[in-house]
Amino acid sequence: MRAWVSHGAGLERLKLETRETPRPGPGQVLLRLRAASVALRDHKMALGAYGAGADASGRVLGGEGVGEVAALGPGVSGWVIGQRVSPLFIQGYTAERIAAQAIAATSLGGLQRDGCFAEFMLADAAALVEVPNHLSDAQAAALPFAGLTAWCALRSQRALRPGDWVVTQGSNGLMLLALQFALAAGARVIVTSKNDDKLARAQALGATRLINYQSRPDWAAAVHDITQGEGAALVLDPGGAQTIAQSLAALQPGGTCCVVGALGASPELGISLPLLLGHQLSVVGCNGGSLAAHRAMAAEVARACIEPVVEAVWPFEQLPEALAGAPKAEQFGKVALQIAE
């Protein structure tokens, strides 16, 4: 099989190599991968940007993918050859809770577990989810991390109620899936962006109201204007040092800010304690989710016929070029890698 293998920090050190196709052991399934998503996390992993010791040398990167069952390991049941499935992003997150060390040890395309930028991969049979039939491979590849993070963010404190105001920031795949999931739940969604063309495309997807934060830097005040002083029940924040203050200010008392990324150069976020305490706000982080959450999300995608937005699909051989564009965040939706037809 062919696989993109890291040989140290840098996109130029990703090499397309031929490896022996692995054989599934007990409790494992061999997947013939059809498509994978290309995300900022993959770019950072390739660059060794996750701190000292974050060297993925020898690893196959890629956290999100979709494939078909090619072989079953001894003792595996419940799956059939040819069935289209997605592997859970954190393979060990099959129970309600997970230990911290298991997150790092079982995250696909990380430092300890090979991922989806290959023609075949091994996955735990207990950590697979059937793919909704109406999705293309590129669309299905958007669900295991971006989709699941968006799904869990919308349920980080309580289930959304019809009429709730939700704010999403930007137009990457995660934020657009949050928009789609929130609308399906009956919520009203305010989308912020600095690009009017992207705002118009978000409106076409169903966004209730739009804010250009470049022309309205105090966009939290605009949220309160739109909601007639009520504020948002939930704001999804990309993890930017410049966004968190506005995210908190946009919330209604008792509201939740869910941080779904690490956009800023600094790992620290400046949070106003008087606002946090006085308005009894919640700030939570969301990064993927459990097997039960993934299955619930897939069921909702099927029920509501939600189609993740895919901006571009790259050939498998051009992964480094696809990864190079990830930090620019210029796309509307997800970028995918086509591995097999």
Side-chain angles (χ1 to χ4, degrees):
M1 72 171 193
R2 294 182 303 163
W4 280 100
V5 181
S6 171
H7 289 275
L11 297 182
E12 73 283 358
R13 302 192 70 180
L14 284 173
K15 305 298 180 184
L16 184 57
E17 299 179 356
T18 299
R19 288 183 163 188
E20 185 177 350
T21 302
R23 295 182 179 181
Q28 292 183 318
V29 167
L30 179 67
L31 299 182
R32 176 180 179 267
L33 289 161
R34 300 179 62 85
S37 277
V38 179
L40 181 59
R41 182 246 189 191
D42 303 314
H43 179 273
K44 289 183 175 182
M45 192 64 68
L47 266 58
Y50 283 105
D55 183 355
S57 292
R59 286 291 173 198
V60 177
L61 304 185
E64 298 178 284
V66 61
E68 58 189 37
V69 176
L72 304 176
V76 172
S77 61
W79 303 106
V80 298
I81 303 300
Q83 190 171 6
R84 198 167 61 134
V85 296
S86 286
L88 185 65
F89 169 65
I90 304 173
Q91 287 276 286
Y93 204 169
T94 54
E96 185 178 353
R97 298 185 181 278
I98 184 172
Q101 61 269 27
I103 295 176
T106 67
S107 293
L108 294 180
L111 301 179
Q112 302 179 51
R113 184 84 182 233
D114 284 342
C116 302
F117 294 154
E119 292 176 323
F120 290 88
M121 70 172 288
L122 293 176
D124 298 343
L128 298 175
V129 177
E130 190 171 9
V131 172
N133 291 330
H134 72 283
L135 298 180
S136 69
D137 292 330
Q139 290 172 330
L143 295 181
F145 181 73
L148 188 54
T149 299
W151 175 264
C152 292
L154 296 178
R155 289 152 181 81
S156 52
Q157 292 295 95
R158 63 167 175 83
L160 285 178
R161 293 189 286 257
D164 277 346
W165 284 101
V166 175
V167 178
T168 64
Q169 301 180 51
S171 59
N172 65 19
L174 189 160
M175 291 294 182
L176 292 184
L177 278 159
L179 164 66
Q180 293 171 294
F181 289 145
L183 291 173
R188 295 172 289 183
V189 185
I190 300 169
V191 175
T192 75
S193 173
K194 65 180 180 181
N195 186 303
D196 285 335
D197 290 337
K198 290 181 179 178
L199 286 171
R201 294 175 71 180
Q203 188 173 41
L205 283 176
T208 312
R209 297 293 296 269
L210 313 169
I211 300 174
N212 186 315
Y213 65 78
Q214 202 162 54
S215 59
R216 187 73 189 268
D218 62 336
W219 58 263
V223 169
H224 283 277
D225 290 343
I226 290 169
T227 63
Q228 298 181 323
E230 178 183 350
L234 175 68
V235 176
L236 272 68
D237 189 276
Q242 304 303 315
T243 60
I244 191 69
Q246 288 294 307
S247 294
L248 293 178
L251 290 169
Q252 62 187 224
T256 299
C257 172
C258 191
V259 180
V260 296
L263 183 64
S266 169
E268 307 296 330
L269 290 177
I271 293 177
S272 168
L273 289 180
L275 183 61
L276 188 72
L277 297 173
H279 286 196
Q280 299 182 353
L281 305 178
S282 297
V283 179
V284 298
C286 191
N287 192 51
S290 69
L291 178 65
H294 194 148
R295 286 176 173 168
M297 173 194 65
E300 175 63 7
V301 168
R303 183 202 67 81
C305 291
I306 291 171
E307 296 188 8
V309 178
V310 178
E311 176 84 331
V313 180
W314 288 78
F316 182 57
E317 295 76 13
Q318 295 182 27
L319 173 64
E321 292 88 340
L323 283 171
K328 302 174 185 177
E330 295 175 347
Q331 78 275 7
F332 185 86
K334 291 289 286 183
V335 172
L337 191 71
Q338 191 71 49
I339 301 173
E341 297 298 334

